[in-house]
Amino acid sequence: MTDIRHFLDLDKMSAETLSDILDLGSVEKAGKAPFGDKPLAGKTLALIFEKPSTRTRVSFEVGMRQLGGDVVTLDAESSQIGRGESIADTARVLSRFVDAIMIRTTDESKLLELAQYATVPVINGLTDQSHPCQIMADLMTIKEHKGRLDGLKFAWVGDGNNVSTSFIHAAPKFGFALDLACPVGYRPNQGLIETANAEGGKVRLTDMDSALDGADVIVTDCWVSMGDKDADARMEALTPYQINASTMAKAKPDAIFMHCLPAHRNEEVTDEVIDGPQSVVFDEAENRLHAQKGVLLYCFNGLPS
Ligand code: CP
Ligand code: NVA
């Protein structure tokens, strides 16, 4: 299993590999195709969804087809996964049919079990704990708008959730500073921050004003993620963390606003911000396609030498 090129979590991969994957995605986006026109011809990717998706599903389906490959999509409800077939057996069976598997699931343990028993690469399409494909697209977008990642200051404002965890994982790999402003009870795990900082990251938990001060990039996400049960408590705790015109004004004048989408408009972000001139959310959504082409080429073919 060890020589299979999985894409499980950003903290498990080297900075060099991640940077090369991002570059590969950008080169594909520019139409340069380092592996040729249809490098994944004859290859099939299985997509497993145990949670809803629009962007992840469409970007992986379109990306595979643009690279010459095919996809087969499984939802928990309409497959035997929903009736309790084990992840291990699902991994063993799918590995006989397809060349890689992407999974969106609940607990990270299911992703890891799939990778343990699959004999083909496994890609993390979101778990309750992380969302690495999203952060690859976000980093591509920031590079396009700011020209670099190293030395920038990012402010994560709101829920310390799966998406924020992947930002924390990415911080020591790409050299940006990350301030997180999250209410008590919805903060990221302190151990996660300590691990990132032990690896050279500049990550800190702080208040909203400090996070926004001098920020080049402002990121938020929904206050109630898929599977969260405590919606009322979350709304109450997170309301002061809304991104609106006055919070945007506390960051650098040329700061960009990002959100992985779907947005809950006028909850975590107001219409005037998400539709405003500093918002790059639709470039960010488009880059799911391009960044994941880099991920797919890495998993299937490896990196060009
Ligand atoms: N951002 C994101 O992962 O979107 P979907 O849930 O629509 O896939
Ligand atoms: N944090 C959100 C991300 C959705 C793409 C969720 O898990 O629902």
Side-chain angles (χ1 to χ4, degrees), residues 38-60:
K38 300 284 178 200
L40 300 187
K43 304 285 187 190
T44 303
L45 172 71
L47 300 169
I48 302 174
F49 287 99
E50 292 198 282
K51 293 183 179 209
S53 168
T54 297
R55 278 145 290 270
T56 303
R57 177 175 178 150
V58 176
S59 56
F60 271 110

Side-chain angles (χ1 to χ4, degrees), residues 52-57 104 131 134 226 260-262 288:
S53 168
T54 297
R55 278 145 290 270
T56 303
R57 177 175 178 150
R104 168 168 286 195
H131 197 2
Q134 181 66 53
M226 294 179 278
C260 65
L261 305 180
R288 291 295 303 276

Side-chain angles (χ1 to χ4, degrees), residues 158-173:
D159 185 24
N161 64 11
N162 46 3
V163 180
S164 71
T165 291
S166 288
F167 265 115
I168 295 169
H169 288 162
K173 313 283 180 184

Side-chain angles (χ1 to χ4, degrees), residues 223-279:
W223 292 339
V224 184
S225 283
M226 294 179 278
D228 283 339
K229 307 273 185 251
D230 52 342
D232 290 346
R234 287 176 160 274
M235 297 296 281
E236 192 179 331
L238 285 150
T239 293
Y241 291 77
Q242 184 189 66
I243 303 296
N244 51 41
S246 68
T247 47
M248 283 299 288
K250 294 178 180 171
K252 281 190 181 166
D254 63 349
I256 55 173
F257 171 76
M258 305 188 74
H259 188 310
C260 65
L261 305 180
H264 295 250
R265 283 167 173 264
N266 302 311
E267 290 182 13
E268 72 271 10
V269 58
T270 56
D271 282 338
E272 65 184 335
V273 171
I274 198 168
D275 295 329
Q278 289 167 270
S279 173

